[in-house]
Amino acid sequence: ITINNLTYSYDGQKNAINKVSLTIPSKQTVAFVGPSGSGKSTLASLISRFFDSDSGNILIGGVDIKSIKKNDLMNYISFVFQNSQLIKASIYDNVRLSKPNASREEVIDALNKAQCGDIIEKLPNEIDTVIGSKGTYVSGGEMQRLSIARAFLKNAPILILDEATAFADPDNERKVQLAFENLSKDKTVIMIAHRLSTVTNADRIYVLKDGKIAESGTH
């Protein structure tokens, strides 16, 4: 992923991203850290093309993302957000959202890789249990692991993790971190974090401040 002189403003007055340039080598893990409002999530959103930059460009594999069809771009990128949502449907259907033609075996494999075994065991109909029905709910940390299972199933080469352990209690956080370690193998990973403890193993950490890169390096 190559970012060239990227600038973006939400309101046309103050730049949320201000002339940022950086390169993320294939299969490396980089972290964006910095105070709230520094531009971390905006930069990740521009890479995903949730919106387009005002100037500058982003290349993936040497190709400008504005010339890649959005559906194709979405096949290259998986996301795990801090407020991942589930729909009122079975666990099976929730995980399969990322790959609608997936087999039952593929979904079960993704759930196992995402450390979801304990969640499935306690549900009345296991992976066929409908979330939100008859008082069947999962915690924020469990929801995160189910969204990680979605990302495992999709198996895209680029992975964006936005403060993805924010709502996990200690036991869930340990399982979430383990799931991330499995999910990140052989992928290009962008982690957005408020706590430095979650990014100590990143190949490179970029510190953002006021929409610019203030410094970068290893932990």
Side-chain angles (χ1 to χ4, degrees):
I1 302 170
T2 306
I3 298 172
N4 296 312
N5 213 24
L6 202 69
T7 296
Y8 178 77
S9 170
Y10 287 100
D11 58 10
Q13 296 175 341
K14 184 176 185 289
N15 287 336
I17 296 295
N18 195 356
K19 296 182 178 176
V20 167
S21 294
L22 61 92
T23 299
I24 303 169
S26 178
K27 300 184 182 179
Q28 283 214 346
T29 294
V30 303
F32 297 159
V33 302
S36 186
S38 59
K40 306 182 298 295
S41 293
T42 304
L43 190 53
S45 296
L46 288 163
I47 293 169
S48 324
R49 215 181 159 200
F50 288 160
F51 30 82
D52 285 332
S53 61
D54 297 326
S55 62
N57 64 0
I58 300 169
L59 310 177
I60 292 180
V63 179
D64 192 318
I65 61 170
K66 288 182 182 176
S67 66
I68 301 173
K69 287 181 183 172
K70 284 210 171 178
N71 282 352
D72 292 337
L73 185 62
M74 287 302 96
N75 288 334
Y76 296 134
I77 304 174
S78 283
F79 313 89
V80 181
F81 297 113
Q82 63 175 340
N83 56 346
S84 297
Q85 300 294 316
L86 300 178
I87 59 171
K88 188 172 179 180
S90 67
I91 296 276
Y92 172 64
D93 286 334
N94 264 287
V95 174
R96 214 166 58 136
L97 283 173
S98 65
K99 187 182 175 185
N101 61 346
S103 68
R104 194 173 176 87
E105 289 69 30
E106 286 177 295
V107 171
I108 291 168
D109 182 53
L111 285 161
N112 287 333
K113 285 176 177 170
Q115 310 290 308
C116 294
D118 61 316
I119 305 171
I120 305 305
E121 283 171 12
K122 70 180 183 184
L123 294 172
N125 296 316
E126 298 191 330
I127 72 168
D128 296 310
T129 304
V130 175
I131 295 297
S133 65
K134 299 176 185 172
T136 305
Y137 296 97
V138 294
S139 71
E142 289 170 339
M143 206 179 288
Q144 286 297 70
R145 281 188 274 151
L146 290 168
S147 67
I148 294 168
R150 253 183 217 159
F152 265 113
L153 188 65
K154 187 174 182 181
N155 198 26
I158 297 169
L159 180 61
I160 296 177
L161 309 174
D162 187 353
E163 195 51 54
T165 61
F167 298 135
D169 56 67
D171 185 46
N172 259 307
E173 182 169 9
R174 185 178 58 79
K175 286 176 176 150
V176 167
Q177 289 286 15
L178 194 58
F180 279 151
E181 284 170 24
N182 293 338
L183 181 59
S184 301
K185 284 174 186 162
D186 295 324
K187 288 184 171 53
T188 304
V189 182
I190 297 167
M191 300 175 75
I192 299 165
H194 294 289
R195 289 179 298 178
L196 270 172
S197 60
T198 60
V199 297
T200 52
N201 295 326
D203 295 302
R204 194 164 194 86
I205 297 170
Y206 290 95
V207 181
L208 277 89
K209 186 179 179 184
D210 299 328
K212 296 181 177 179
I213 294 170
E215 54 185 316
S216 70
T218 60
H219 180 262

